[in-house]
Each structure stands twice: as structure tokens, then as C-alpha cells.
Amino acid sequence: MLNWDEFSKKNAIADAVISGDKMKLSWKGFFEKNTSKYIWKADSDFSALSDKNYIVINKCE
């Protein structure tokens, strides 16, 4: 289990760009305050499946 108190609530966990009905999400991970590093960058639910560094999220109808 993750100790959520160790992660920054100010540092972004992802970057997103919206274009029409799609959003490109680039996962950064969780920023650990005591090490000043992002962790859990890989193997998350938001990892890109191809050679791209983002996933595309489509708007549901």
C-alpha cells in the first residue's frame, strides 16, 4: 500500500492536451517529497502501449 502522505499534492501527476473530443495524457507518476523524484512512472494504468509517450482518452457519449 502506498503512503499517500509521502507524495506531493502540488506537483502534477500528468500533463494533458485536449483537442476536440480527445485528450492526450502523459503520465508523470507520483512525486515523492523525501526523494524529490517521480515514482511509479511505468506499469501504471496510464502507461502508453506504443512508442508514444502519451495515451489518448476519448470522450464518452
Side-chain angles (χ1 to χ4, degrees), residues 2-44:
L2 297 173
N3 183 353
W4 294 107
D5 292 333
E6 294 178 4
F7 300 112
S8 171
K9 293 183 174 98
K10 295 179 182 178
N11 290 68
I13 60 171
D15 292 322
V17 176
I18 298 173
S19 177
D21 288 345
K22 294 182 179 183
M23 177 174 65
K24 290 182 179 178
L25 182 83
S26 298
W27 178 253
K28 297 173 98 172
F30 296 114
F31 190 81
E32 204 169 35
K33 294 185 285 190
N34 59 347
T35 62
S36 296
K37 293 181 181 179
Y38 280 96
I39 66 162
W40 199 37
K41 294 187 263 186
D43 299 327
S44 76

Side-chain angles (χ1 to χ4, degrees), residues 46-56:
F46 301 109
S47 296
L49 297 176
S50 65
D51 60 346
K52 297 180 173 115
N53 61 354
Y54 61 86
I55 62 167
V56 176

